[in-house]
Amino acid sequence: MKDSGVNANAVHPGGIMTPLQRHLPREEMIAFGWMDEAGKVSDRFKSTAQGAATSVWAAVGPELEGVGGLYLEDCGQAAP
């Protein structure tokens, strides 16, 4: 699609604690290390805004205009 002005990049938002987790039992989230016994979410998870940042940057970042075929995470290019 490059010749038609469409560029594609792969974006990994990272781990985000979203309402999707409501479908998992609390015990599983604890077993996965996503939260501790007290319900405190692991520091490795991003907020929703932090998780969206790379997708927004990929869509509107002027430095990516006309650039495709990249793997992006944490608002930067990363190795796949």
Side-chain angles (χ1 to χ4, degrees), residues 29-44:
M29 291 190 279
I30 293 169
F32 290 147
W34 295 356
M35 68 173 55
D36 64 18
E37 295 284 338
K40 181 184 179 297
V41 176
S42 170
D43 291 337
R44 69 180 185 204

Side-chain angles (χ1 to χ4, degrees), residues 15-70:
I16 307 160
M17 190 60 74
T18 69
L20 285 174
Q21 282 79 13
R22 70 179 173 271
H23 301 290
L24 291 173
R26 180 183 175 95
E27 295 77 23
E28 280 188 43
M29 291 190 279
I30 293 169
F32 290 147
W34 295 356
M35 68 173 55
D36 64 18
E37 295 284 338
K40 181 184 179 297
V41 176
S42 170
D43 291 337
R44 69 180 185 204
F45 281 95
K46 297 178 178 182
S47 69
T48 304
Q50 291 167 328
T54 302
S55 295
V56 172
W57 171 67
V60 301
E63 62 272 32
L64 293 176
E65 188 167 333
V67 177
L70 303 177

